[in-house]
Amino acid sequence: MKRRWHKLPPEVRRDIVRLAAQGLSRDEIRLQIDCAVGTVVNVLRPLGGVYRPVMWQVSTARLGLPERVDIRIGLERDWSIRRIAASLGRAPSTVSREVAANGGRAGYQPFTAHDRACLLAKRPKSFKLAGDSALLDRVSADLERLWSPRQIAKRLREGVSDGVCKRGSLSH
């Protein structure tokens, strides 16, 4: 049996990927594109399957899923890394590292790359306040005194306790 979905125009395949990246279900994509569900599945399979929205909120400093999809589309068009980066408004080194770290030009999968980035962005350790109840109590008390986080951090670095330094002088 021939695989008809390979004969889909590139624009249609791109539309399917973009709609999946927006979080639409297979049926919603099928209705908007006017094709079979199997076609949608077959187009998305090489990209890591059906997109399931990750709760990870990406900062603008990091690549988001739509940008990763655009990188894949640029790679399919055989664009240079510089051209892809220019279309995204990113540095070529950012796009180059992203592609190299996630399968290279031939194996880049945006959904898998996004999931990997989400895992790598998680803190490997607990927060300092979570592991030190005395520190948590002190910071909470300072916040109740309406001190700013900057003031509290400075006082903690200098070893100030209730307005008196360890060396006995007042800190202002």
Side-chain angles (χ1 to χ4, degrees):
M1 177 177 218
K2 286 188 175 182
R3 293 182 174 180
R4 291 186 183 181
W5 64 276
H6 283 292
K7 294 182 181 178
L8 281 176
E11 308 82 49
V12 175
R13 291 175 68 195
R14 267 184 254 132
D15 289 343
I16 290 172
V17 172
R18 284 191 199 284
L19 291 171
Q22 291 172 5
L24 273 65
S25 70
R26 286 181 272 175
D27 283 331
E28 292 169 332
I29 295 169
R30 176 186 64 84
L31 292 172
Q32 283 196 23
I33 301 294
D34 191 29
C35 64
V37 172
T39 302
V40 174
V41 170
N42 287 332
V43 169
L44 295 177
R45 186 176 294 129
L47 302 176
V50 177
Y51 173 69
R52 290 177 179 84
V54 180
M55 297 308 291
W56 181 42
Q57 296 296 318
V58 183
S59 81
T60 56
R62 296 179 177 265
L63 289 171
L65 183 58
E67 289 176 303
R68 288 185 169 96
V69 169
D70 288 340
I71 289 172
R72 171 63 186 228
I73 290 168
L75 293 172
E76 285 180 357
R77 291 178 177 170
D78 205 26
W79 285 0
S80 69
I81 295 294
R82 287 188 178 279
R83 184 171 178 188
I84 296 169
S87 73
L88 296 174
R90 297 283 187 165
S93 59
T94 301
V95 176
S96 177
R97 280 193 305 269
E98 171 72 13
V99 172
N102 294 293
R105 290 187 74 91
Y108 185 76
Q109 296 183 0
F111 299 106
T112 306
H114 190 70
D115 289 343
R116 181 175 176 270
C118 177
L119 288 174
L120 292 175
K122 291 183 179 178
R123 284 180 60 95
K125 59 183 181 178
S126 63
F127 295 100
K128 285 187 178 185
L129 292 179
D132 188 347
S133 60
L135 182 61
L136 175 63
D137 292 341
R138 179 162 174 200
V139 169
S140 297
D142 290 347
L143 287 171
E144 287 174 5
R145 291 184 184 125
L146 301 179
W147 288 353
S148 74
R150 188 175 183 178
Q151 289 173 314
I152 295 169
K154 182 178 179 188
R155 290 174 163 284
L156 288 172
R157 277 192 305 274
E158 293 175 352
V160 176
S161 177
D162 294 328
V164 179
C165 275
K166 287 183 180 176
R167 291 183 285 285
S169 64
L170 286 176
S171 174
H172 295 289

